[in-house]
Amino acid sequence: MKAFNSGPTLAVARSNGEVASDFLDLSFQLESGRALPVMSRFEGPVTVKVSGRKASVLDSELDQLIGRLRTEAGIDISRYTGQGTPSITLEVIPKRQLQALVPGAACFVAPNVSGWRDYKTNRRSPRTDWTKLQVRTQMSVFIPGDVAPQEMRDCLHEEVAQSLGPVNDLYRLADSVFNDDNFHTVLTGFDMLILRAYYSPELSSGMTREQVAARLPGLLARLNPAGGMGYPVATSPTPRSWKAAIETALSANESGTQRRKAAGQAVDLARAYGWNDTRLAFSLFALGRLNLGINSDVALAAFREAEAIYGALPGTRLQAAHMGVQLAAHALSLGNADTAIRIVDNHMPAVRSAQNAALLSTLLMIKAEGLEILGRDAEAHLVRLDSLGWARYGFGSDAEVGQRLLEIAAISPIKRG
């Protein structure tokens, strides 16, 4: 199994005015839409305790994350050593047990509880109400321990970040884990800037939105000089109708027909609102995914349009790669090996930079099949071996890895059937 080391973080590719607006919307609202009256954070050193049955890879991932939070976000965070009460309890539990209590959740964070048992007892009490939180003293993060290493790491990054800072997600963010599109799964340069601002000396727990907004211009100018003065810019909230359509399209509890219809509605709404941003592209991505094997013409047209939109926007190379893997697979199915390999090679750097092993291994598997079509068997063998190491990190079990290999091989015209 291969794994990533912490690499360089890309700089924030937008103005501090936009960052300021994002900071306010992330920090003073819940995903449900409820407003948060004040900002809350830990005041003082933060410690992290791990409990439950965990894979060995989780320890190294947590150490890397703590190192990044200390270096890039300037947070005084470390492992719990047994003194006092831990600030954050990271509890690893079986996925089935987690979803039996919170259906549909891959992982989550809860305030003012010391672990799973405490959360089950108090989850409907005022104690775990985010809107009543004034200062953070105790958080619990719950992640599944029986999933692929990449899924554990993804949960670790997002939920620890939310235990420290913003608890909202915004679909308009193209370069952040604070986005329900789930393209970015490790903390980005933008996320680290948000967390650095969260823990800056200019801010503190108990401040209102207006008080924070007044401090942000000078604060962001100090932390991110290239972004200019961070006077918040006006942003239009994403309409509830579009969010509802996307949520239905992504829901595993709906029928395929209902999900495809909802994805089409999301595309229509995005066009009606005049968007040509990540929200339209994500609507098209959902439409394409849901039409794979049902209507290939609709799927390919959606992926091509989404790739073009992502390709024209700054900081969206990873999103474009998710479209590229579908287009490379289509080229492979037609026997267009050179095209498939070219698409794979074009998207590989962005995928490696984003540390997405599942996507990286899939691209490498497609490339290996393309090389075999061209008669370059020795190269194909080496590329396929490379794909296996990343697949074990991205998909987990040997059975999952083998299934993905078979699925990709079945696309190739020289192996089909």
Side-chain angles (χ1 to χ4, degrees):
M1 185 177 75
K2 295 188 176 184
F4 296 99
N5 294 317
S6 291
T9 302
L10 298 177
V12 177
R14 56 182 178 279
S15 73
N16 281 341
E18 293 176 274
V19 174
S21 297
D22 297 335
F23 184 98
L24 294 171
D25 289 346
L26 285 169
S27 305
F28 288 94
Q29 190 169 315
L30 296 171
E31 290 184 55
S32 63
R34 296 174 68 197
L36 293 172
V38 297
M39 171 184 159
S40 66
R41 70 179 192 185
F42 289 101
E43 300 293 345
V46 179
T47 58
V48 184
K49 174 186 176 182
V50 182
S51 65
R53 297 183 63 181
K54 65 183 187 303
S56 58
V57 70
L58 188 62
D59 277 323
S60 62
E61 293 290 358
L62 178 57
D63 288 338
Q64 283 191 42
L65 176 58
I66 287 174
R68 285 193 62 198
L69 289 168
R70 293 181 66 88
T71 302
E72 298 176 46
I75 298 174
D76 184 3
I77 183 171
S78 60
R79 289 275 201 144
Y80 176 66
T81 59
Q83 300 297 315
T85 302
S87 312
I88 300 171
T89 298
L90 174 65
E91 186 156 353
V92 182
I93 59 178
K95 184 175 183 178
R96 180 178 298 179
Q97 185 178 347
L98 186 152
Q99 294 191 333
L101 198 64
V102 186
C107 41
F108 65 96
V109 59
N112 296 326
V113 291
S114 60
W116 185 244
R117 181 177 297 178
D118 194 12
Y119 173 71
K120 288 197 295 183
T121 302
N122 294 285
R123 65 193 182 104
R124 291 192 175 93
S125 72
R127 182 171 150 193
T128 55
D129 187 344
W130 286 94
T131 65
K132 299 183 184 303
L133 200 60
Q134 296 289 319
V135 62
R136 302 187 193 188
T137 57
Q138 191 175 49
M139 292 279 166
S140 283
V141 167
F142 306 110
I143 69 173
D146 50 355
V147 295
Q150 179 168 314
E151 187 173 342
M152 278 190 284
R153 180 211 62 192
D154 296 352
C155 281
L156 181 69
H157 275 243
E158 181 168 6
E159 303 308 331
V160 168
Q162 291 200 323
S163 70
L164 292 166
V167 290
N168 191 17
D169 283 333
L170 299 172
Y171 276 108
R172 70 173 184 258
L173 301 180
D175 56 351
S176 175
V177 301
F178 300 119
N179 189 329
D180 277 331
D181 65 14
N182 292 328
F183 284 124
H184 282 282
T185 52
V186 298
L187 292 172
T188 66
F190 170 85
D191 299 327
M192 289 299 184
L193 175 59
I194 292 293
L195 289 171
R196 183 175 282 274
Y198 225 86
Y199 283 84
S200 67
E202 290 93 331
L203 303 181
S204 62
S205 294
M207 293 180 69
T208 65
R209 183 184 180 107
E210 292 71 24
Q211 290 172 324
V212 171
R215 301 282 180 90
L216 283 176
L219 164 59
L220 290 174
R222 176 174 66 81
L223 296 180
N224 186 40
M229 289 299 287
Y231 293 102
V233 297
T235 57
S236 299
T238 300
R240 183 60 208 161
S241 57
W242 181 84
K243 286 184 178 180
I246 279 292
E247 287 167 4
T248 301
L250 302 179
S251 174
N253 297 323
E254 302 290 345
S255 69
T257 300
Q258 289 173 313
R259 294 176 69 186
R260 285 189 293 276
K261 180 180 178 181
Q265 290 173 339
V267 172
D268 292 341
L269 285 168
R271 296 194 198 283
Y273 290 125
W275 299 338
N276 197 38
D277 59 10
T278 56
R279 291 169 295 184
L280 172 58
F282 186 57
S283 304
L284 290 162
F285 174 61
L287 182 65
R289 286 287 298 271
L290 291 167
N291 276 281
L292 285 172
I294 303 296
N295 190 327
S296 59
D297 290 339
V298 170
L300 286 169
F303 289 136
R304 289 191 177 111
E305 186 179 356
E307 185 186 44
I309 294 170
Y310 284 130
L313 296 171
T316 54
R317 292 186 63 203
L318 174 62
Q319 289 90 327
H322 279 269
M323 310 307 115
V325 73
Q326 303 295 341
L327 298 175
H330 176 67
L332 179 67
S333 72
L334 298 178
N336 297 334
D338 287 317
T339 300
I341 293 170
R342 176 181 54 78
I343 294 172
V344 167
D345 288 343
N346 181 51
H347 291 297
M348 201 79 75
V351 176
R352 288 187 186 274
S353 178
Q355 301 189 3
N356 189 320
L359 183 58
L360 177 59
S361 65
T362 302
L363 286 169
L364 289 169
M365 289 175 189
I366 291 172
K367 183 174 182 176
E369 296 298 333
L371 290 168
E372 282 196 352
I373 290 176
L374 297 176
R376 295 156 61 179
D377 292 352
E379 288 179 74
H381 177 68
L382 291 175
V383 171
R384 188 173 289 110
L385 282 177
D386 194 21
S387 78
L388 293 176
W390 293 116
R392 287 193 169 88
Y393 183 87
F395 298 110
S397 70
D398 286 345
E400 291 281 349
V401 174
Q403 181 62 34
R404 180 52 58 102
L405 273 173
L406 290 172
E407 289 171 358
I408 300 301
I411 298 172
S412 172
I414 66 172
K415 293 183 178 179
R416 195 173 294 144

